[in-house]
Amino acid sequence: VLIPEDAGMVVHINAASLTSKLSWDEIKQSYWFQMVNEKSKPDDFERKLLDNPETSGIDTKADMYLFMKNDGKRSYMFFTGKIKDAAAFETTVKNMKEGTQVKKEGGMNYTGENDNMLTWTNEKFMVIADAGDLQGGLTGRYSGNTGDEKSSTEKMLTIAESIYDLKSDK
């Protein structure tokens, strides 16, 4: 589990328990799912994901976590989970938005910049969002201010690397 000991808030999502209570086939039969599916007109790739989320490469039965961490004056939100198929996950990332560029930093892949990014290794993924300035409110895309300290992209990559490198006692 990639949750630092100084996380300010943690939400645990027990995906195995959730999927044992309500199958994806049952969700697909729901009125709201069908309504969203009809109104959004998904393309072939999106339809494939909606039909079977496991094609995303994410381990949909593994635990997932949402947590918040402060780093100096800034606060960041994280969503993390396990990857079942790294190649399928990277294909999903590249197909989610036209023009997505995947970059590498050490043993970590990433896309996005400034106030939000997606990072991953072969086993785990982390979505990171700049949640604001602890001393003066929201920043980044929420306020139109990208901050005046070290680039948010650089800062978030440093934090992501430190979380991927966490030891079990931390």
Side-chain angles (χ1 to χ4, degrees), residues 10-75:
V10 178
V11 176
H12 171 221
I13 300 164
N14 185 333
S17 177
L18 290 173
T19 57
S20 75
K21 293 175 173 93
L22 182 63
S23 73
W24 190 251
D25 285 334
E26 290 172 296
I27 292 172
K28 289 190 317 189
Q29 298 306 313
S30 70
Y31 171 75
W32 63 266
F33 184 92
Q34 291 175 13
M35 182 179 69
V36 167
N37 200 14
E38 288 171 15
K39 288 190 180 206
S40 68
K41 303 284 188 237
D43 63 25
D44 290 339
F45 178 74
E46 291 167 337
R47 190 166 305 287
K48 179 180 163 187
L49 285 177
L50 286 171
D51 189 49
N52 181 4
E54 291 184 12
T55 61
S56 68
I58 293 174
D59 187 343
T60 59
K61 294 187 176 37
D63 291 344
M64 295 181 202
Y65 298 88
L66 175 70
F67 65 92
M68 185 173 233
K69 177 179 174 23
N70 297 330
D71 187 70
K73 293 182 188 177
R74 307 203 70 71
S75 186

Side-chain angles (χ1 to χ4, degrees), residues 10 43 49 54 61 78 82 87-88 114 122 142-143 150 161-162 164 167:
V10 178
D43 63 25
L49 285 177
E54 291 184 12
K61 294 187 176 37
F78 298 82
K82 290 185 179 178
N114 294 329
N122 285 335
Y142 303 106
S143 71
K150 170 162 100 163
E161 286 175 337
S162 73
Y164 283 121
K167 305 295 179 222

Side-chain angles (χ1 to χ4, degrees), residues 133-148:
D133 181 342
L134 296 174
Q135 311 215 337
L138 298 174
T139 59
R141 72 176 163 177
Y142 303 106
S143 71
N145 176 8
T146 57
D148 52 10

